[in-house]
Amino acid sequence: MSYHVPMTPPDLPIEGRDMTGDISLQIAQLEAEAKAALETAPELSVLEERERTAFRSKKSRFAEMYQRLGSMEPEARREAGRALNELRARLEALAEARRAELSSFARAERLAADRLDLTEVLPGRLAGHLHLVTQVREALEDVFVGMGYEIAEGPEVETGWRNFEALNIPEDHPARSPLDTFYVDFGEPWSVLLRPHTSPVQIRLLERGTLPIYAVAPGRTYRKDTPDSTHLPVFHQIEGLVVDRGVTFADLKGTIETFVRAIFGEGTRTRLRPAYFPFTEPSAEFEMSCVICGGEGCRTCAGVGWIELGGCGMVHPAVFEATGVDPETWTGFAFGFGIDRIAIMRHGIADLRVMIENDVRFLNQF
Ligand code: DAH
């Protein structure tokens, strides 16, 4: 902002003026103008500029008046000199006062900018919650803990021996191909992998050597699958293993029916269909009546009324032998299924991929 400071009042032409006569008038005039200019300086840099113009610079009117003292009579010179010195002192005081004022404004402004507005209404803090898959895993854990099972855990990076050999999976089984399973690059003989199922936890439980066993082992699993509506390369399974004396296929069937009803509701029916798994004999796939149509047949169940959940069977003697458990004394059953699939079934979700998209509009619903 520029401020025009009139230094020469029109009624007081400097040219040809008698300095002795009107010096006190000129001083009053200069003081009035300088005072107005200094007191209204909007900021420190402008104040300094106006101080120079009013009295500090050699070209100021003040300096000009000072110079004229030399041409005055001694008596008048003393008088005018004193008046000018006093004027300078007053102008300096004025400038000082304005400087102090402007600094305190600047400080107040800084403080105001920093101040917290305690009246502002902020949105409440958003609390997150467990992911749907974790919720379903915990619901499953609760059901099995309620039946007296322990929750077991195994590592996601597993040995080929526990994942395949000990589970009686033959050398030429397709799951052993690096096209299906992620191997950890430790070089030959390619025996460390990201587990493609939770079944190796069965081996860890049997290796412990403490029997009987009633355990479920939930956890993350990996397969070289392209994501689509029913597959994710990283997914979750839960493994079940019961080893005791005199365990029967009927116990297996009852156990499956119990947890399916607990998760999907009392009206849900289950059935077993013959299947083949190397680590169980006999083996079965277990299915439940379709949650959408109740068994009538619809798009979700491809018209058959049943939805496949997982695999199960009686623990193969070869698995017992691999882990040093006497198959003459002990019998057992095992089962395994996908937790993510249970979650989409239970909540009628059309596409598995939403589980990993991290869209809060989806996640917030559960
Ligand atoms: N591990 C199998 C899979 O990932 C599922 C399975 C089948 C687990 C039968 C079992 C079982 O414990 O007895 O496809």
Side-chain angles (χ1 to χ4, degrees):
M1 174 177 144
S2 86
Y3 188 85
H4 177 65
V5 183
M7 298 307 273
T8 311
D11 54 339
L12 282 174
I14 286 172
E15 280 348 296
R17 228 165 13 185
D18 171 9
M19 279 304 294
T20 51
D22 60 4
I23 185 84
S24 58
L25 184 62
Q26 281 190 49
I27 285 175
Q29 189 73 35
L30 174 58
E31 182 166 13
E33 286 167 9
K35 187 170 188 285
L38 295 174
E39 282 178 348
T40 58
E43 57 180 82
L44 287 168
S45 62
V46 177
L47 176 63
E48 278 166 22
E49 181 60 38
R50 289 184 188 177
E51 283 177 65
R52 278 194 292 278
T53 317
F55 66 100
R56 289 205 199 276
S57 97
K58 287 201 180 90
K59 288 185 189 143
S60 65
R61 201 157 109 235
F62 181 88
E64 186 189 310
M65 285 167 72
Y66 218 93
Q67 276 157 25
R68 288 190 197 171
L69 289 175
S71 58
M72 289 166 73
E73 295 300 317
E75 178 73 8
R77 185 196 314 166
R78 218 180 308 115
E79 186 82 358
R82 193 172 39 88
L84 278 175
N85 284 335
E86 284 169 7
L87 170 62
R88 178 170 35 213
R90 286 198 298 279
L91 293 181
E92 273 169 356
L94 269 175
E96 230 20 78
R98 183 59 180 165
R99 200 184 326 283
E101 214 169 30
L102 287 175
S103 326
S104 86
F105 286 166
R107 195 166 158 271
E109 224 166 74
R110 270 202 313 279
L111 288 177
D114 278 355
R115 206 188 60 185
L116 287 178
D117 181 356
L118 298 178
T119 65
E120 188 165 349
V121 179
L122 298 169
R125 195 187 286 192
L126 290 177
H129 61 73
L130 295 177
H131 190 278
L132 174 60
V133 170
T134 309
Q135 292 180 38
V136 171
R137 191 191 81 198
E138 292 192 345
L140 287 162
E141 288 177 5
D142 283 350
V143 171
F144 284 105
V145 166
M147 292 197 275
Y149 284 52
E150 67 169 304
I151 309 296
E153 244 183 300
E156 291 169 24
V157 180
E158 187 54 280
T159 63
W161 186 79
R162 289 195 188 86
N163 192 75
F164 296 127
E165 275 94 352
L167 285 166
N168 197 35
I169 298 175
E171 205 77 52
D172 57 355
H173 193 280
R176 300 184 72 146
S177 155
L179 295 173
D180 290 329
T181 296
F182 291 102
Y183 282 85
V184 179
D185 189 357
F186 289 155
E188 296 292 335
W190 300 101
S191 58
V192 178
L193 43 81
L194 295 184
R195 64 180 183 190
H197 57 174
T198 45
S199 299
V201 187
Q202 288 188 39
I203 303 306
R204 290 181 174 272
L205 286 162
L206 290 164
E207 281 174 328
R208 256 188 350 197
T210 37
L211 297 161
I213 296 168
Y214 288 82
V216 284
R220 202 171 281 138
T221 44
Y222 303 83
R223 278 182 206 180
K224 286 192 182 172
D225 281 330
T226 303
D228 63 26
S229 63
T230 54
H231 295 85
L232 291 176
V234 180
F235 58 108
H236 302 80
Q237 284 192 342
I238 184 165
E239 194 78 12
L241 178 68
V242 167
V243 179
D244 207 338
R245 292 181 170 87
V247 175
T248 70
F249 206 85
D251 297 323
L252 170 59
K253 163 78 182 173
T255 303
I256 286 170
E257 189 143 298
T258 302
F259 89 75
V260 169
R261 288 199 176 145
I263 297 293
F264 290 98
E266 279 307 313
T268 319
R269 285 162 295 130
T270 57
R271 73 175 186 184
L272 300 176
R273 298 206 312 159
Y276 170 77
F277 297 102
F279 36 94
T280 42
E281 179 59 32
S283 300
E285 267 163 7
F286 60 95
E287 302 183 338
M288 68 170 181
S289 52
C290 179
V291 277
I292 306 296
C293 63
E296 295 292 305
C298 69
R299 223 159 40 114
T300 301
C301 58
V304 296
W306 294 92
I307 290 170
E308 189 200 314
L309 287 183
C312 62
M314 302 307 289
V315 178
H316 197 292
V319 174
F320 283 144
E321 270 153 21
T323 51
V325 173
D326 179 8
E328 297 303 323
T329 312
W330 302 97
T331 47
F333 65 75
F335 56 86
F337 55 92
I339 299 175
D340 315 71
R341 294 202 59 202
I342 295 279
I344 63 171
M345 291 300 162
R346 186 161 85 152
H347 297 280
I349 297 162
D351 193 317
L352 204 49
R353 286 169 291 193
V354 292
M355 294 294 193
I356 56 166
E357 278 167 2
N358 282 345
D359 187 331
V360 288
R361 291 168 303 180
F362 168 73
L363 297 172
N364 276 343
Q365 297 175 62
F366 305 99

